[in-house]
Every structure is written in structure tokens, then in C-alpha cells.
Amino acid sequence: MSTTGTRPPHAAPRVAVDLVILTVRESRLQLLLIERGKQPYLGRPALPGGFLRGHEKLDDAARRELHEETGLNGSRLHLEQVHAYSRPDRDPRGHVISVAYLAIAPSLSEPVAGSDARRARWTPLEQVTSAPDALAFDHAQIIADAVERARSKLEYTTLATAFCADEFTISELRQVYEVVWGRSLDERNFSRKIRRTEGFVVPTGAKRRPETGRPATLYRGGPAKTLYPPVLRAGIDGDLR
Amino acid sequence: MSTTGTRPPHAAPRVAVDLVILTVRESRLQLLLIERGKQPYLGRPALPGGFLRGHEKLDDAARRELHEETGLNGSRLHLEQVHAYSRPDRDPRGHVISVAYLAIAPSLSEPVAGSDARRARWTPLEQVTSAPDALAFDHAQIIADAVERARSKLEYTTLATAFCADEFTISELRQVYEVVWGRSLDERNFSRKIRRTEGFVVPTGAKRRPETGRPATLYRGGPAKTLYPPVLRAGIDGDLR
DNA sequence: ACAAAAGTGTTACATGTACACCCATGT
DNA sequence: ACATGGGTGTACATGTAACACTTTTGT
């Protein structure tokens, strides 16, 4: 294969988007990886993504790739731009600038279906951090940056509700924080704090009955987008676990 | 002029960088604007910036444009990527994706000199917010996003020291917060808080004598990059002023 | 002595942390 | 009655807000 080094030295860069799609499954933070079906990095795990088409906006390209490569419906998921990566040697085919997006999927999202999605699968984040060199391109770095963005936004925004189904309990919301941050939180203080933060969650009136124990109030995400006071992860509350 | 609409519909987008260079001058938050020397938007105020060259990294292009268009030495300024703008109609010449950078210059920075910089001048932010349509392209939006990034980062990072000269007093640092946030802070509480946050500032041992009054201890920026606890702007302390 | 700016002490209040205890349900 | 998970009360530590007061300088 001689696809490298054949472009003129000052060719205009091509522009792509890559997606870091996070969810909480089986009490672990997981992300959607595909197996590359062509060179370079054939067969290696990589982020879903692709080149910008025509006069498309980056946001539109991200939603299109989300649907094409994973079968997930982008219009219902949280999706935000994170960073543009531009090292000239990051893609052996030539200069490719990749704009990374962070997407958050609720836990119930199915393992994925869709046209180009046969090779897509949920992967625990830990697997990526313990063997970052297994990934194609600079995708390990992109993942690290996007995950840090998500961790940070849990502090001062209502992003955590995007990890939950339409209706959820405070306990489920707390588990999102615990899994994303990798530390335990006191359920009782957490519960009070969330419910006292105006607009974070609104009760639906219904209850969910656990297998055993008192039924929990069900909530939906409220109108608030930012949190004051923030939920800070730097506290001394729970231990790492 | 018929520079618009002449490109084939699916031409690859071009990539540019734009710079939002902030400083505190005359007790106001100001940014560096240039006057456009060619179409489109000839003669209109705009952000310094330009197209990516060859196999250049975005960060390198931002530093290069910073120097070429403003004469400022990019290697000594805080410079960070903020967001990529990609609306296909944002530039009448065709599809141009612009990656915005936020730069912070210390107050002492001279009005600017340099090759291509004759038209560059410091402009109070207020002038932009009160007449956003005067600016070329979507630059008013880019400025709004970058300024919000700066305001937000003062809360939980040590970015404020980037607005100060090498040595500064706590009062000068407080004025940075006040000017950027547009609200007053209690000097006495602020001073204690800054000095108690380990690594934010370190005393140089020298003092600065004001025209009248007690000399102030001089500090340099310390090793810390993030602040815990943060300096939150949402408090009820000072009034707007 | 006085003005001006830097810096300390003190008090009231808000929020965070830890944990004992009570509530609602299934078995 | 008991186990299990949801939820409340409360004491203490930490941080914020407001402001009286002291310190150090120049005139």
C-alpha cells in the first residue's frame, strides 16, 4: 500500500469528525469503539467518525456519522464539540484535521445496530486507558480529553441527566456521578443536594419499586443547564473504590 | 464584486484560525481588532487570523498569526483553542472552517507593532457587545464565546495571572477579576483567599511603593494551574459597577 | 497629624461532610 | 420481624460576606 507520502507538500488539510460516545453500562463508564475496516490501522479499535462532506457543518457531520456508524439517533443525544486535533503526522494518509465531539448516551442504549455499524461495540474506558497504544491514530488522547470534559461538566452542569433514561431515580443519577468520577458519594447528602438545586430534576409523581426496599421517587431532567452551587468532585467525601 | 458563489458546491473546506486576544487596559477588558484590508468586509473591524499553511498545526498557525498580524510574541502569551466554527455561509468566499483561539496578554503590552499590524488596535469589549454587527463574519459570536471561556476559567484556574506583568500585587490581580467579570470584589477577603490557595502566587520578596500608602508585597504566578476551592463569580459579594 | 493603600480580626451565615436514625416496602 | 433501599435530622468543619480596625508609607 502506498497511500502515504503521495500528496503534494502543501495540500490543503482534509477535515474529519471523531466521536467519543460515552455511556454507563454494568456500573462502568464505557465508550463506543469500531473496528477499522480499512487501512491505515486495519482491524484496530478506533473512534467512529469520518470526513466532512460538501458544505456540511461540523455538528451535522457529527450527527450523521453518529447515526451511520452506530445506529444511534443523534437528535436525542447530548452532542458537543470538544477540540480540534491537527498534528500533521496524526494520519499517515496526509494532513487530516479532526474535530472531536463528545456524545452522551443513556444506559439503555442497545449494543448498536445500523448500516455501517456491524463492527461497533461498547468498550469499558478502563480497557482504553490501560492499553492506549492499541487504538488507531491519536484516538487515545482524544478519548482522554473528552472524558475529562465530561467529568468536569458533571461538576457545574446538569450533564449527568444525559446518561440517564427519560425517568430516573436519584440513586441512578448518583451512580452516574460515581461511575464517571470513579469515587463514591454519600447517597443521603447527594440526594438532598440534587433536589435542592432548583431546576436540576423534577419529580414525575411516579415511584419505582425496587426488588426489595422503599419505592424511589422518579424524576426527569429539569430546565436548569448549569449548577449553582456546583457538585465538586475534589471534596473529601467518599473513598476511591 | 463577485467573489461569492464561484466555488464548486462540494469543494473541500479551507481551514483558518482566528484570535481573540484579551488584555486589561485602562481598567477595561479590551481585545485586539484589525481593520480588514481586503474584501469581503473591507474596512470592517475583524479578529486577527488567517488560513492554515502547508502542514502546519493549528496551534502553530495561531502563534504565527499572532506575531505576523499583531507583533506580539506568541511564545510568551497564554494561548488556547476554544471552538471551531463551520457554518457554510459564514464566509462569502466559500466554506471556511475557522478554529478560534483565546490569547491573554499582560496589561503592559504595547498598542502593537509589526509587519502586517498597522491596522491593529486595542478595542474595549463593550464596543463590540454594543454593536456586534459592525464586525466582519461571525466574529462577534466568536468573541462572545472566547470571553465567556476566559470569565469561566478565572473561577477554577490561575488564568488571571496571565493578564498581569511578571511581578504584580494582589490588588492588580483583583482588578483583573473585577474588570473581566464586571463586578467588584472585597479586596480584603480576596487577598486572603488568593494567598491561602497554595501555589497560586508566590511572593518575590520585593515591595511596590504606591504614590501614597503602605507598600504592597509583589508576587509572581505560582506553579498551580487549577484552583481549589474555586473563586466563584456567582457570589453575592460586590455590586455591579 | 493626616490621607491613602495594604493587610488582620471578627462575626454571621451558607454550604459541605459524616453519620445516627426513621420510613416504606417485600418476604 | 427483618432485610433492603429511600429519605430526614443534626452536629461539626470549612468557606464566604461584610466590615471594624490596625499597619505602613508619603506629605
Side-chain angles (χ1 to χ4, degrees), chain B residues 170 173 177 190-197 200-201 231:
Chain B
I170 300 284
L173 188 66
Y177 275 91
F190 179 83
S191 171
R192 248 186 309 231
K193 171 147 191 168
I194 299 308
R195 282 179 286 119
R196 281 182 186 172
T197 300
F200 195 169
V201 296
V231 183

Side-chain angles (χ1 to χ4, degrees), chain A residues 186 188-189 192-193 209 211 213-215 235-237:
Chain A
D186 186 290
R188 298 154 293 186
N189 294 332
R192 246 185 312 230
K193 172 145 192 171
R209 306 195 184 283
E211 295 191 8
R214 177 175 172 174
I236 324 146
D237 187 16

Side-chain angles (χ1 to χ4, degrees), chain B residues 96-117:
Chain B
V96 175
I97 293 175
S98 174
V99 180
Y101 277 79
L102 167 66
I104 307 293
S107 313
L108 47 81
S109 303
E110 272 317 295
V112 167
S115 54
D116 202 9

Side-chain angles (χ1 to χ4, degrees), chain A residues 35-107:
Chain A
E35 186 184 304
R36 278 190 62 81
K38 53 186 175 184
Q39 293 289 2
Y41 296 104
L42 176 66
R44 298 273 285 277
L47 293 173
F51 289 102
L52 207 63
R53 291 188 194 157
H55 282 182
E56 197 176 35
K57 276 199 298 185
L58 290 164
D59 288 15
D60 294 340
R63 283 195 196 281
R64 177 178 53 71
E65 291 288 347
L66 181 63
H67 185 260
E68 285 181 8
E69 293 218 55
T70 73
L72 294 169
N73 182 350
S75 64
R76 299 184 54 200
L77 265 53
H78 173 91
L79 189 65
E80 66 173 285
Q81 194 190 110
V82 177
H83 194 81
Y85 297 82
S86 61
R87 272 204 1 249
D89 59 349
R90 60 176 296 282
D91 189 320
R93 293 168 295 184
H95 198 188
V96 175
I97 293 176
S98 175
V99 181
Y101 277 78
L102 168 66
I104 307 293
S107 314

Side-chain angles (χ1 to χ4, degrees), chain B residues 8-230:
Chain B
H10 280 221
R14 288 199 287 169
V15 178
V17 296
D18 282 313
L19 294 164
V20 180
I21 309 163
L22 300 180
T23 197
V24 172
R25 288 171 66 88
E26 300 158 355
S27 295
R28 289 184 297 182
L29 184 57
Q30 308 211 15
L31 77 162
L32 200 64
L33 293 180
I34 58 152
E35 187 183 307
R36 278 190 62 80
K38 52 186 176 183
Q39 293 288 3
Y41 298 105
L42 176 67
R44 297 273 286 279
L47 293 173
F51 288 101
L52 205 63
R53 290 189 195 157
H55 283 183
E56 198 176 34
K57 278 198 298 186
L58 290 164
D59 288 16
D60 293 340
R63 285 197 194 279
R64 176 177 56 69
E65 291 288 347
L66 181 62
H67 185 259
E68 284 180 11
E69 292 218 54
T70 72
L72 293 169
N73 181 352
S75 64
R76 298 185 55 198
L77 264 54
H78 173 91
L79 188 65
E80 66 174 287
Q81 195 189 108
V82 177
H83 196 80
Y85 297 83
S86 61
R87 270 200 11 242
D89 59 349
R90 60 176 297 281
D91 189 320
R93 293 168 294 185
H95 198 188
V96 175
I97 293 175
S98 174
V99 180
Y101 277 79
L102 167 66
I104 307 293
S107 313
L108 47 81
S109 303
E110 272 317 295
V112 167
S115 54
D116 202 9
R118 284 160 305 183
R119 293 193 181 85
R121 59 173 183 280
W122 292 110
T123 311
L125 174 68
E126 201 184 288
Q127 196 169 310
V128 171
T129 50
S130 66
D133 293 342
L135 287 171
F137 305 105
D138 51 1
H139 287 185
Q141 181 63 53
I142 293 176
I143 291 165
D145 293 347
V147 167
E148 175 50 31
R149 167 76 66 94
R151 286 181 169 143
S152 164
K153 287 196 86 165
L154 289 199
E155 293 192 303
Y156 56 91
T157 76
T158 57
L159 180 64
T161 58
F163 282 98
C164 296
D166 190 48
E167 295 196 340
F168 54 87
T169 67
I170 300 284
S171 260
E172 289 167 348
L173 188 66
R174 173 180 54 82
Q175 284 172 48
V176 168
Y177 275 91
E178 292 188 333
V179 167
V180 176
W181 283 351
R183 58 180 297 243
S184 65
L185 298 170
D186 187 290
E187 166 67 33
R188 297 155 294 186
N189 294 332
F190 179 83
S191 171
R192 248 186 309 231
K193 171 147 191 168
I194 299 308
R195 282 179 286 119
R196 281 182 186 172
T197 300
E198 192 157 357
F200 195 169
V201 296
V202 291
T204 65
K207 301 268 183 189
R208 171 172 303 167
R209 309 199 180 280
E211 295 193 6
T212 169
R214 178 174 169 175
T217 308
L218 282 169
Y219 296 85
R220 264 188 246 279
K225 294 299 174 201
T226 63
L227 298 182
Y228 187 81

